[in-house]
Amino acid sequence: PNGLAKDFAEECKRYDAVIEAAGGVDIQLLGIGGDGHIGFNEPADAFCVNTQCIDLEEQTIKDNARLFFNGDLAAVPTQAYTMGIGYIMKSTTVILMATGAGKKDIVEKAFCGPVTPYVPASILQLHPNVVVIGDEAAISDAVVAAANKLKQYNFIECFIEVVANKS
């Protein structure tokens, strides 16, 4: 989406039309936020299907300040466009990356807990082709066991690759 667009609603509709015209999304590369958000689909009462302009949660602003703005909270935008969960779920393949011990609990909630919009990444349990790439600190044995069980019952194909920490 065009972040400089004046009409957020129209820009979201335009972006959805671009996705539709392209035939959808083939590969979706996502990270997972500490609260379980994917893209900028923050925890909410319901999953949002289409592209939206959302207000960022306080924790997301803090994380983005740390990662991208040298800790400067004032420099972080407070709103962002995000592709809706509907388009993420229609993609052919979802690749979710998670690293560090700080992501372990939320990755476990996403793949071992119930599917809920309060943990947006949990919807990926219902996607037919998810690849989770993470280090040993982020991927628990419970997540690996859940992935194997889900694969066995054909609810999801989730391959956990544990990437050795090189540091």
Side-chain angles (χ1 to χ4, degrees):
N2 177 357
L4 300 176
K6 301 291 183 213
D7 186 332
F8 296 148
E10 282 302 313
E11 182 58 16
C12 290
K13 288 179 189 174
R14 185 197 69 77
Y15 191 70
D16 287 345
V18 168
I19 294 169
E20 292 290 335
V25 176
D26 188 26
I27 297 173
Q28 184 74 245
L29 177 62
L30 300 168
I32 183 170
D35 59 3
H37 73 260
I38 49 177
F40 281 116
N41 290 284
E42 298 279 10
D45 292 334
F47 291 111
C48 187
V49 174
N50 297 323
T51 300
Q52 59 187 318
C53 182
I54 57 100
D55 294 326
L56 297 177
E57 296 289 330
E58 182 180 345
Q59 187 59 52
T60 302
I61 292 170
K62 288 178 182 176
D63 290 344
N64 282 313
R66 180 178 46 83
L67 294 169
F68 304 113
F69 295 95
N70 295 317
D72 184 1
L73 288 171
V76 180
T78 58
Q79 292 184 309
Y81 285 107
T82 187
M83 182 180 293
I85 294 289
Y87 286 109
I88 291 171
M89 291 301 289
K90 288 180 186 176
S91 63
T92 305
T93 301
V94 174
I95 300 171
L96 182 83
M97 299 183 70
T99 59
K103 297 295 175 92
K104 186 174 189 172
D105 289 343
I106 197 62
V107 171
E108 197 164 303
K109 284 182 184 176
F111 289 96
C112 300
V115 174
T116 173
Y118 296 107
V119 181
S122 67
I123 193 74
L124 298 177
Q125 292 180 44
L126 305 176
H127 194 284
N129 192 24
V130 175
V131 177
V132 178
I133 300 173
D135 59 15
E136 291 181 33
I139 309 299
S140 70
D141 291 342
V143 172
V144 174
N148 289 335
K149 179 180 177 185
L150 291 170
K151 181 180 174 192
Q152 177 183 349
Y153 294 107
N154 295 321
F155 294 133
I156 187 172
E157 290 181 29
C158 184
F159 303 98
I160 308 295
E161 292 185 30
V162 178
V163 180
N165 187 348
K166 305 271 188 222
S167 54

